[in-house]
């Protein structure tokens, strides 16, 4: 797993650097979306995550959830348009899952994309994503990921 200043970036995922989110493409064409290790570290210990409701149609660049931590409240923006077909029930009872396991248990919403082939042109993976996040971290003056709630991938 590539690492940038203690920030993990699994190779099997796609990333939107500007939105600081990851995408996992499922076998049925749906996608799972979550916050990156960098995003959860910048937010700090997350106390609440409120996803949009199942059945809601979202446009690329719009919020699919609102996340609140002790030092930040903000949207989780999707890089893909589509319909929310599921939300992660585990984050309702324990939002720190987004800190502990941002890439495994910490997915936030599952989308049925409207036109993934068009939207995926803005996503990056591997070395391209790592280079993009290095520049992003430098721009935000963010030095390293801190796993305040532990890290389980």
């Amino acid at each position: 797993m590539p690492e940038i200043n203690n920030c993990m970036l699994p190779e099997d995922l796609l990333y939107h650097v500007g939105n600081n989110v990851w995408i996992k493409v499922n076998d049925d064409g749906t996608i799972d979306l979550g916050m990156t290790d960098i995003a959860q570290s910048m937010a700090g210990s997350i106390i609440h995550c409120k996803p949009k409701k199942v059945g809601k149609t979202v446009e690329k660049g719009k919020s699919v959830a609102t996340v609140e931590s002790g030092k930040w409240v903000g949207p989780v923006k999707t890089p893909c348009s589509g319909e929310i077909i599921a939300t992660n029930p585990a984050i309702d009872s324990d939002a720190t899952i987004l800190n502990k396991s941002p890439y495994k248990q910490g997915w936030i919403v599952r989308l049925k994309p409207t036109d993934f082939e068009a939207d995926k042109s803005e996503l990056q993976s591997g070395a391209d994503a790592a280079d993009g996040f290095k520049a992003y971290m430098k721009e935000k003056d963010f030095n390293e990921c801190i796993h305040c709630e532990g890290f389980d991938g």
Side-chain angles (χ1 to χ4, degrees), residues 40 44-46 96-97 99-101 146-152:
Q40 70 82 19
S45 185
I46 296 170
T96 62
I97 289 172
N99 296 113
K100 296 174 195 167
S101 183
I146 298 169
H147 300 120
C148 58
E149 302 290 342
F151 188 79
D152 184 32

Side-chain angles (χ1 to χ4, degrees), residues 87-105:
T87 60
N88 184 349
I91 58 176
D92 289 341
S93 59
D94 182 9
T96 62
I97 289 172
L98 300 177
N99 296 113
K100 296 174 195 167
S101 183
Y103 301 116
K104 292 179 181 173
Q105 298 173 42

Side-chain angles (χ1 to χ4, degrees), residues 2-147:
E3 177 186 330
I4 306 166
N5 298 341
N6 203 34
C7 302
M8 306 300 170
L9 295 170
E11 292 183 59
D12 60 332
L13 302 175
L14 298 169
Y15 299 91
H16 190 281
V17 175
N19 291 352
N20 214 351
V21 295
W22 57 264
I23 295 284
K24 177 183 173 193
V25 180
N26 299 309
D27 292 341
D28 62 0
T30 61
I31 59 172
D32 292 347
L33 183 148
M35 298 171 66
T36 67
D37 191 19
I38 297 162
Q40 70 82 19
S41 289
M42 292 175 80
S45 185
I46 296 170
I47 34 184
H48 188 71
C49 178
K50 183 170 177 60
K52 304 281 185 194
K53 293 186 177 178
V54 171
K56 175 130 178 109
T57 300
V58 291
E59 292 183 30
K60 181 170 72 172
K62 299 296 183 183
S63 175
V64 294
T66 301
V67 171
E68 179 179 357
S69 70
K71 62 181 181 181
W72 181 77
V73 177
V76 177
K77 295 179 182 177
T78 177
C80 303
S81 298
E83 178 186 352
I84 297 173
I85 59 169
T87 60
N88 184 349
I91 58 176
D92 289 341
S93 59
D94 182 9
T96 62
I97 289 172
L98 300 177
N99 296 113
K100 296 174 195 167
S101 183
Y103 301 116
K104 292 179 181 173
Q105 298 173 42
W107 63 277
I108 298 172
V109 296
R110 181 166 293 148
L111 291 173
K112 181 179 178 185
T114 305
D115 188 358
F116 184 69
E117 289 305 312
D119 291 341
K120 83 175 188 183
S121 66
E122 296 180 24
L123 303 176
Q124 298 176 314
S125 62
D128 290 340
D131 289 344
F133 279 113
K134 282 180 192 169
Y136 179 87
M137 291 170 70
K138 184 174 182 178
E139 176 189 318
K140 300 290 182 185
D141 197 25
F142 181 72
N143 297 324
E144 69 175 328
C145 286
I146 298 169
H147 300 120

